[in-house]
Amino acid sequence: MPDDRGSNLPKIGWQLRLYLVLRPILQPIMRRLVARRVSKGKEDPARAPEKLGHPGLARPECPLIWIHAVGLGEVLALRPLLLEMGRVRPDAHFLVTSTARSSGQVFNQNLPPRVLHQFLPLDGPKYVARFLDHWRPDLSIWSEQDLWPGAICDTARRSIPLAYINARISQDSFERRKKLKSGFRNLMEMFAYVAAQDEASASYLERLGALDVQVMPSLKPAAEPLSVDSGHLASLQQDLQGRRVWVLASSHPADEEVAIAAHKLILETDPTALLIIVPRAPERGSEICEVLAAEGMSSAQRSREAGIAAFHQAYVADTLGELGLWYRLAHVACIGGSFGNTQGHNPWEAIVLGCPVISGPNTANFAADYDLLETEGLSQRIVLGQGAEHRLSDAVVHVVQGNTAQKISALVSSAREDIRPLASKLLALVRP
């Protein structure tokens, strides 16, 4: 196989150069790290070799576009862009890489056509070289905040075009990156196209040395609905008919504290109401059941294959890849990460399934999205402080659905139209 590695890196400063020098020294530690994570059940043993650059799939003999995003939410958000790029380039295949184990498990259930998934290798030169030798991408696209300097440099050396999209940088992140400004600027110089999620991120990127940063449309409103087992959905819809069902999605302890207190208030006037809790970390399922029991609430746990009985007041859905089911069953979704310091999770997965959303006040990760949804009457934020559980229970009971479907359809159609210019700009970078 020909080695197309050259010397196409721009001149780099001491910060990035030091990182590149340390990479081979750290490779043995990286290998041990993967082995340790496998032993602790944090990596899939069958797919752990991908973290060391060993491919798990064959490369299609056609143009291949590689897109990287770190975790489940970021990977799922790429689907509308993949669909549009695939529509324009029916001859191309797409390789999506990620780092979080959950992203692989769930994304494989929601793969668009001609899309493959692999885990990104750790940033050792041997591992990245093995990955690039096998996949030979014709374009490399990096999304959001997960930038691996070594992999980016190795990709640039091979004359593979690079793009950075959906970039999001908070003020705290900007202050941290300022300390490594020359290294970050060197990385940005390797990208032929840079696009940020919002004006603030674009400004931060330019202050860090990126040139001609564009502001791109949000990918999340254009997302295809999450998949569902139609037979299981129909069965649960029949079982839950006539019950008020609401879901707390991607929850953390701070979210659960408010939601459980709110549900106790709802049960005072509606004893058949059901709260479905979908923890962000499924391994917390038993812990949540213990909290519910301490609050005198009857519950069952999905990971133990327990069904939902008529007497259950709460259900802990501690499995991966089933949010499409729970959103379809609920009349309203409370999106987690918003009552604590996490700063919110993606509201659009619920919205595109016709499920209005409620959140806490801390939604900086999706500030523009929640502002738009609030303007359209599809979202409501709950202020923290004394009485927060009363405000949340009132919002759940009195959520206004109205012409929800019409509003959502208009937002999704507009978002999908906005993605087309972005797809064209990216496809223009594919090397011939």
Side-chain angles (χ1 to χ4, degrees):
M1 181 182 298
D3 186 348
D4 56 355
R5 282 170 282 189
S7 182
N8 294 318
L9 286 182
K11 184 177 180 181
I12 60 176
W14 70 269
Q15 290 179 333
L16 184 54
R17 190 174 300 278
L18 177 61
Y19 179 89
L20 298 178
V21 168
L22 290 174
R23 289 173 74 210
I25 300 171
L26 296 174
Q27 273 185 159
I29 299 173
M30 296 176 189
R31 179 181 291 276
R32 288 196 292 271
L33 175 64
V34 172
R36 189 178 302 118
R37 288 180 61 82
V38 169
S39 69
K40 293 182 177 181
K42 294 182 178 181
E43 297 286 355
D44 181 351
R47 299 194 62 182
E50 295 171 24
K51 294 291 184 79
L52 303 178
H54 294 287
L57 299 167
R59 186 201 189 279
E61 292 304 320
C62 62
L64 183 73
I65 297 168
W66 163 34
I67 307 181
H68 175 70
V70 56
L72 177 57
E74 295 84 0
V75 168
L76 289 175
L78 293 173
R79 290 178 303 149
L81 179 61
L82 290 165
L83 285 167
E84 178 59 22
M85 294 175 75
R87 184 188 68 80
V88 177
R89 284 292 301 265
D91 62 323
H93 274 63
F94 302 86
L95 173 68
V96 173
T97 58
S98 60
T99 54
R101 179 179 181 176
S102 60
S103 59
Q105 293 172 320
V106 178
F107 189 59
N108 281 332
Q109 300 170 20
N110 294 273
L111 282 175
R114 308 194 313 279
V115 177
L116 310 172
H117 177 268
Q118 295 277 272
F119 288 112
L120 185 72
L122 298 182
D123 209 18
K126 181 179 179 180
Y127 310 142
V128 175
R130 188 181 287 150
F131 172 88
L132 292 174
D133 284 345
H134 176 78
W135 290 105
R136 308 186 314 280
D138 298 293
L139 172 64
S140 174
I141 303 171
W142 294 71
S143 178
E144 302 220 11
Q145 301 184 78
D146 199 39
L147 299 177
W148 294 53
I152 292 168
C153 291
D154 292 349
T155 302
R157 284 194 185 103
R158 296 178 181 230
S159 300
I160 299 168
L162 283 150
Y164 180 27
I165 65 167
N166 224 23
R168 173 167 52 88
I169 296 186
S170 65
Q171 184 174 352
D172 288 345
S173 179
F174 168 70
E175 296 297 335
R176 290 194 301 271
R177 282 178 166 84
K178 263 201 318 188
K179 300 172 184 177
L180 301 169
K181 183 175 180 180
S182 71
F184 193 82
R185 182 182 66 251
N186 292 155
L187 279 184
M188 290 297 100
E189 290 171 351
M190 298 177 201
F191 290 97
Y193 179 76
V194 179
Q197 290 186 17
D198 49 58
E199 294 285 355
S201 293
S203 174
Y204 287 141
L205 283 168
E206 289 180 342
R207 289 166 66 184
L208 289 169
L211 300 175
D212 193 26
V213 181
Q214 306 296 306
V215 177
M216 60 176 278
S218 175
L219 300 178
K220 294 176 177 69
E224 294 291 318
L226 294 173
S227 62
V228 70
D229 181 321
S230 57
H232 191 201
L233 173 63
S235 176
L236 281 174
Q237 285 175 328
Q238 183 173 351
D239 291 345
L240 299 175
Q241 189 173 8
R243 298 183 68 178
R244 183 191 306 278
V245 179
W246 65 293
V247 61
L248 172 63
S250 299
S251 67
H252 301 260
D255 311 303
E256 292 147 13
E257 181 180 353
V258 179
I260 291 171
H263 194 56
K264 289 178 71 175
L265 293 172
I266 293 170
L267 289 169
E268 291 176 3
T269 55
D270 186 357
T272 68
L274 176 69
L275 167 62
I276 298 174
I277 301 176
V278 187
R280 185 71 171 181
E283 60 270 20
R284 294 186 52 248
S286 297
E287 168 196 328
I288 297 169
C289 286
E290 290 175 4
V291 172
L292 290 165
E295 293 291 334
M297 212 171 288
S298 173
S299 68
Q301 194 172 345
R302 176 72 166 160
S303 65
R304 296 187 178 181
E305 300 184 353
I308 305 175
F311 61 85
H312 286 142
Q313 298 163 316
Y315 190 67
V316 180
D318 54 343
T319 52
L320 288 169
E322 293 193 299
L323 264 177
L325 172 65
W326 311 125
Y327 283 144
R328 285 174 171 89
L329 290 170
H331 81 287
V332 64
C334 182
I335 308 300
S338 57
F339 288 93
N341 295 323
T342 305
Q343 296 302 325
H345 293 301
N346 183 5
W348 288 102
E349 292 171 349
I351 291 293
V352 299
L353 286 169
C355 190
V357 300
I358 302 170
S359 75
N362 303 326
T363 57
N365 291 340
F366 297 89
D369 300 282
Y370 279 99
D371 287 344
L372 172 61
L373 292 173
E374 205 161 17
T375 299
E376 295 292 335
L378 297 171
S379 177
Q380 181 177 346
R381 292 185 230 206
I382 303 300
V383 179
L384 284 174
Q386 188 174 7
E389 66 275 16
H390 288 275
R391 291 188 286 275
L392 178 55
S393 65
D394 286 345
V396 171
V397 171
H398 299 113
V399 63
V400 178
Q401 293 183 303
N403 59 341
T404 295
Q406 183 178 353
K407 290 180 180 178
I408 292 171
S409 177
L411 289 173
V412 171
S413 296
S414 175
R416 289 179 180 168
E417 190 68 28
D418 289 343
I419 285 175
R420 291 182 178 179
L422 173 64
S424 297
K425 289 175 183 175
L426 293 172
L427 289 171
L429 299 175
V430 175
R431 63 180 178 181

